[in-house]
Amino acid sequence: MDLPDMRFKYLKYLAFVLGGLSTVVAAGALYLYATFDGVRLAAELTYFAKQRYQRSLRMDGPVELSMFPRLRLKLPATTLSGRNGGSEFIGIEQAVVSVSLLPLLTRRVVVERIEVDGLRMALQRDKAGKLNAEDLLDPGNEAAPASAVTPFELDVGALMVRSGALTWADEQSGRQLALSGLGLETGRIGRNADGHLHATTRLTRAEPATDVSIELESAYRLDAGDSLPRLRQLRLVARGDVGGWEALDSELSLTEMEWADGSPSVIQGCSLQVRGKAAGEPFELKASTPRLKLGPRGPDTDSVDASLRLDGKLRGGNVRLRLTELQAGDKGLQVSKLMTELDLRLASGRLTGTLAGPGRWQGNSGQLDLAALTGELNFAPTRAGLPPLKFSTEADARIDLTRSSAAGHLALRSAQSQIKGSWTLPRFDGAALGFDMDVNQLDVDAYLAGKPGRTPVPDKAVDERFDLSPLRGLEMDGVIRFGQLRVAGLKLEHVKLPLSVHGGRLQSAGHTLSLYGGSLEGSLSLNAEDAQASYRAYLQNAELGPLLKDFGVQQKLGGTTNFFVDLSSKAESRSGLVNALQGLARVRIRNGSVPGIDMGQAMKEWRGLLSTRQGARRPHRARESTPVGELTASFLIADGVARSTDLKAKNGMLQVGGAGEIDLSRSHIDALSRVTLVLVPPGPDSGSLSSLRGMTLPVRVKGPLSGPDWHLEPGASLSSVVPGAGQAAAGNPPKVIPKRAVRAVSKVVKQAGPAAEKAGEAPVTE
């Protein structure tokens, strides 16, 4: 037989085989189509779901089958209830499955396309930790043995889900979330398949308030067997709001991610970038690692680099982190070294420095522990002329990501001071910073002057405006204690200063301190929005002489003083603070002295002028003073002027009552007093004074507070005494003033009132 004839013969055989096979397939397809009963199939599936899983399956119509151009199975709107007829567990609007016919003969299911519209799923975990889909995921012993079933090989050309929705409710933790607008589109899914995945959805949550749009894109490779896919060029984008984080725009990218069974999975080229606003201020977070292993106990990597940039109006700067040798262990993730570089811009200055130490991450509790951070911090004040500060630093911190909180301890040491204490951050979304600090000693004057031991002298010609902007945007609550504090020349001890800043308002309620043998208790309020300031305080048993000397007052006043103030003003500038001063004050000085005049000597000099009712002026004499057993006065203060109508002073020889005013902005005094000689002291000069016994002299004190003149004014008269400011203060004390202070002020006012009236009524006699 010739070769061409043999070829033709084989071609005829092949044609007969293909023709027969086509006939068989066509006949089988026609038989399947002719015998297919969609209504019966829907009824059988419903019965099976009820008997096997105790769930109700409902199909709004029959299952439809079409043959051309391919085998196409269409499911109507379908719902499956929860176990024992509960609420809807899963549902679809419709689904279409397209299957190739020929591969079925080799027990291969080649699905050309699966399309699902309106997929809905409600996942729930009860208080016992049981998932509402467990019976579907674990069929139990009723399933047929694997040996009894010949497996089919599934190959899907494409999968598409449109307008899907998923809800999750966890009764154990109380967490709930929802995915809406779920869309999914894939390429081929099967043995040795390469494809592309694209998914979109919207994540919403009530607590914390969350509304985020999510998009995922990735190429993938499915190898033979049951191995997990290998992802390439993965890109995950999320945009929206999460709790206090607003306008988030985040992106996670991976060069390659290879899942492995029985060995660590490997991620190559991982990077994260997040932009957004926290408490209304922009920020940007970046993190990257070249290679990351994911094992059963957690991730391992040689290094991770991260940075945080803040672009707020009041606060900004950069924080850089580098993690070295991140390893997973039985107790969580261990970091051999965490290096932190700070460069922060604050309203009060610039903070730079480095901190380094080990770290540990506890995945079960969501806590990051930084046990021993050491380094150096530098602070450069914004105000010109102030020297920078340098501190050696020791710190520890615990960051709880589950509760979005942090806490730790801090120890700072400089050449002059040591600061130790603790801090807390209740929430990351702008809640107040808490702190509790102890400072052994601090010399504010030396720091402001730029040289140790030097007290800055303010330039009175310069009306310095107060910058209250650091209070805006600052939220904190805490207390600072000073062992020794030097400020404005004053030496303070055992200072306890509670501080609270919220909404641009600074409050210090109940601060206490010791000074010059006495104690002070008070409250301060300062509002950055309208510059309104108020202060209430009570000073007890302080030595007046050394206090005024250190404060820079040249007058040699002496004695022990009690002082009460309740003031308010506008803290816009130095002069404005004084000019707008309002309120009341009360002072009591015991066993002191009034500088500038020896009243006994002055009365001798004025004796001859009294008969002719002539006036006289006696200048301030720095070497003279008049001892005072007790001096009391109360003041009503308005527009920076303190006015008193109940001035009272006495010693063994004299008794004084009077009224006057002090202009605080000009440091000027104008007061008229009635000085009565009640007892002639023994001595060689007693004869010249004996004729003045019982006589009341009108004496005016007028001039600068640093050295006023003393005027004899026989024709002057005091206005009738009206209820003084001290009586008003005692009758309506502020609530923050201790009761012992109120009782002391009331007692002094009652004792001073009648004496002042008598002194004011006594006429000048010869």
Side-chain angles (χ1 to χ4, degrees), residues 227-302:
S227 60
L228 293 171
R230 178 184 297 180
L231 304 179
R232 300 187 304 274
Q233 305 302 324
L234 182 145
R235 178 174 174 267
L236 176 63
V237 178
R239 298 183 177 93
D241 302 331
V242 179
W245 314 89
E246 302 174 349
L248 290 178
D249 186 354
S250 59
E251 179 176 335
L252 172 67
S253 61
L254 307 176
T255 302
E256 185 175 8
M257 184 173 185
E258 182 178 358
W259 299 97
D261 294 331
S263 61
S265 302
V266 179
I267 298 176
Q268 303 281 359
C270 178
S271 65
L272 172 67
Q273 181 173 341
V274 182
R275 298 187 183 93
K277 292 183 178 181
E281 296 188 348
F283 74 92
E284 182 179 26
L285 173 66
K286 294 182 179 180
S288 64
T289 181
R291 191 170 187 269
L292 183 66
K293 292 182 179 180
L294 296 177
R297 295 188 299 180
D300 288 349
T301 184
D302 293 334

Side-chain angles (χ1 to χ4, degrees), residues 92 237 304 566:
I92 59 172
V237 178
V304 176
D566 184 0

